[in-house]
Amino acid sequence: MSEFHLEKIAGVSFADIFGSDEVSISFEKVEAFLDQMVVVASEKAKTSPNQLVRLVHNGQVFWMTQQQAAEFLKKGSDPDIRKEVEQALRGELKSVRQELEILLAIAFYMLHQYKENSAIPQEEIDRIEPSLRRRQKEIAEGVSSTTESEAILAEKRRRNPLISHYEEKMGEFLNCKARGDLVRAAALAKELALEKKQYVLQSRSIEPDIRTIYYHRLNLQKTKKRLLSTQSDLCSSRQGLLKWEVNELKNNLGMIREELDVADREGMDSAASQIKRLRQYDTETMEKNMMEKSMELVALQCESDILARKEKETESVIAHIAENVLHEQELKIDIAETTRQTNKPLFQTETKHQSTIAKKKSSGMHISKFKDH
């Protein structure tokens, strides 16, 4: 599949939206950014804002024409799931949080716009608005729990410097091998062999904390999936109403044209002629309105397709973490208990018997142990 070059598309980075000093951001500021960027993108593309397609990708928000969106869907590169999992589990938490907050802000922005313009049914607004509030709470709690767990792990690593020392040396060893510096690699291999036993003993003590962090980060990915799903629901709701409106316009146009045909056949006086001119104006306005709504429908379908792809990618990341890292152990966790005791590891250190069993089956603790599919 050939690559699609997003750098040619109008967009704004998360860094531009959040700024260098901001820990978090208000929805009002995101809305202001979105309003501003939509205007810029529509002027650049010489099209209506309603006909643009939005995409959140690699730390940026893009606005595309329908043609560009179709090309992206056709030529966009398949995601590297291992890389996505690496980012989800080990990437900077700030980046994970910013992506979630942007997705949440966009969903609120869509809802606000549709609500103001009565662009979706009220029952959909009543259903979606509380769900977005829940997502907002999930993000705050998930980021807080992850931050706390990572701080606990960092402190344990600080008290056991051999762990970081060994891992850094392992990284240097792998780099030397990759560069072809076999002499240095051989020397490092000997040092690693001498330190391995002590490293294994010490690293085992932090495994529950690592798994706890992975669990929290997995939940953040689940929140991401829910946000993408909510955006899809908003698109779908808007599409449903638009289709009804387009159908109504078609019916009304048909009725007006039929009236005009009758008037032409039966002859007209001056008053009837004036009415015809007004009706003709109505048809032109309605045709223009119908065309705009039809184009918006196409844009919404493109955006829905992009959201579906993004949701599928996130599902793959979630499945990979659950199956190859946590081995679905998250299904056994009491969420209520976790909420009450966020400072305790969610996973206990293995007993000797469990450790023996684990030797027969990879723990899936580290990303380097992912299975190939």
Side-chain angles (χ1 to χ4, degrees):
M1 184 182 289
S2 57
E3 189 175 353
F4 182 81
H5 298 286
L6 280 170
E7 63 270 12
K8 299 177 182 178
I9 309 298
V12 59
S13 70
F14 293 174
D16 290 335
I17 296 175
F18 281 86
S20 57
D21 300 325
E22 289 196 63
V23 175
S24 192
I25 192 171
S26 68
F27 291 137
E28 290 77 13
K29 183 172 181 180
V30 176
E31 280 200 14
F33 254 98
L34 293 175
D35 282 335
Q36 180 183 353
M37 286 306 302
V38 164
V39 171
V40 171
S42 63
E43 288 177 353
K44 183 177 180 180
K46 297 180 180 179
T47 188
S48 165
N50 286 341
Q51 295 174 22
L52 292 172
V53 179
R54 184 173 42 241
L55 166 68
V56 178
H57 184 73
N58 284 348
Q60 295 187 78
V61 186
F62 298 94
W63 285 266
M64 301 181 282
T65 64
Q66 294 166 21
Q67 183 178 354
Q68 289 167 335
E71 188 179 350
F72 171 80
L73 287 165
K74 183 179 179 181
K75 296 184 177 181
S77 302
D78 292 329
D80 184 338
I81 296 301
R82 287 172 178 264
K83 184 177 179 181
E84 295 292 327
V85 170
E86 174 79 18
Q87 172 62 24
L89 293 182
R90 294 185 173 182
E92 189 179 8
L93 184 58
K94 174 184 173 183
S95 299
V96 175
R97 174 184 58 77
Q98 286 183 347
E99 180 182 33
L100 291 172
E101 289 186 355
I102 289 293
L103 289 173
L104 178 65
I106 287 173
F108 269 122
Y109 177 79
M110 293 171 70
L111 184 66
H112 177 70
Q113 294 290 316
Y114 290 161
K115 188 176 182 178
E116 270 199 341
N117 297 288
S118 301
I120 61 174
Q122 183 61 43
E123 56 266 27
E124 285 297 284
I125 295 171
D126 295 340
R127 179 181 68 85
I128 291 173
E129 197 162 21
S131 75
L132 288 178
R133 296 297 176 193
R134 290 194 293 273
R135 300 295 84 79
Q136 186 176 14
K137 185 178 179 182
E138 284 175 12
I139 293 170
E141 291 179 348
V143 169
S144 176
S145 297
T146 307
T147 300
E148 186 174 356
S149 296
E150 289 182 350
I152 292 171
L153 177 62
E155 175 59 22
K156 287 188 176 182
R157 283 182 173 277
R158 188 190 66 78
R159 294 200 306 265
N160 296 279
L162 174 64
I163 297 174
S164 296
H165 173 73
Y166 185 91
E167 290 172 352
E168 288 170 6
K169 190 175 290 186
M170 176 61 75
E172 184 185 354
F173 166 72
L174 294 173
N175 287 333
C176 287
K177 283 188 68 177
R179 292 196 310 267
D181 187 353
L182 301 182
V183 175
R184 176 59 179 159
L188 287 169
K190 289 180 180 179
E191 294 176 18
L192 288 167
L194 292 172
E195 297 171 359
K196 183 176 180 180
K197 184 176 180 180
Q198 191 64 25
Y199 167 75
V200 170
L201 289 172
Q202 291 192 19
S203 63
R204 190 170 292 163
S205 68
I206 64 172
E207 284 187 0
D209 301 283
I210 293 174
R211 295 180 74 84
T212 297
I213 291 168
Y214 287 174
Y215 170 76
H216 289 315
R217 283 179 172 254
L218 172 64
N219 279 340
L220 290 174
Q221 290 302 303
K222 290 179 179 179
T223 296
K224 176 181 175 179
K225 179 182 178 300
R226 294 183 190 118
L227 286 169
L228 291 168
S229 179
T230 299
Q231 288 185 26
S232 293
D233 286 348
L234 284 163
C235 286
S236 179
S237 295
R238 179 60 183 147
Q239 283 177 288
L241 188 56
L242 273 174
K243 287 176 181 177
W244 180 84
E245 290 174 347
V246 168
N247 190 56
E248 285 293 293
L249 285 169
K250 284 181 179 178
N251 291 337
N252 290 337
L253 272 170
M255 291 170 61
I256 291 173
R257 284 170 178 156
E258 188 175 339
E259 290 176 14
L260 293 174
D261 288 342
V262 170
D264 283 338
R265 287 196 304 270
E266 297 181 357
M268 296 179 294
D269 55 22
S270 59
S273 179
Q274 177 68 14
I275 292 171
K276 179 178 178 180
R277 283 196 297 272
L278 290 173
R279 298 296 268 175
Q280 188 66 44
Y281 174 77
D282 284 348
T283 59
E284 290 172 0
T285 303
M286 291 169 72
E287 284 173 348
K288 182 181 178 182
N289 194 9
M290 189 168 68
M291 178 62 69
E292 289 175 352
K293 289 180 183 296
S294 297
M295 293 297 287
E296 185 181 351
L297 268 172
V298 174
L300 283 166
Q301 186 57 56
C302 287
E303 188 157 330
S304 294
D305 291 342
I306 287 174
L307 287 167
R309 173 185 284 189
K310 287 293 179 182
E311 189 174 350
K312 185 176 180 181
E313 290 172 6
T314 308
E315 282 179 354
S316 296
V317 170
I318 291 169
H320 212 129
I321 295 171
E323 294 169 10
N324 299 298
V325 180
L326 295 175
H327 294 293
E328 299 182 283
Q329 289 199 44
E330 77 282 1
L331 299 177
K332 303 175 184 178
I333 295 171
D334 182 348
I335 301 299
E337 183 66 14
T338 302
T339 304
R340 289 193 296 271
Q341 302 182 25
T342 54
N343 62 331
K344 293 185 179 180
L346 299 176
F347 301 91
Q348 299 304 313
T349 306
E350 293 174 336
T351 63
K352 185 175 181 180
H353 173 67
Q354 290 172 323
S355 180
T356 303
I357 296 173
K359 290 179 182 178
K360 299 178 182 178
K361 181 179 181 181
S362 172
S363 69
M365 174 65 66
H366 302 291
I367 294 177
S368 60
K369 294 183 180 179
F370 285 169
K371 297 176 182 177
D372 291 324
H373 289 281

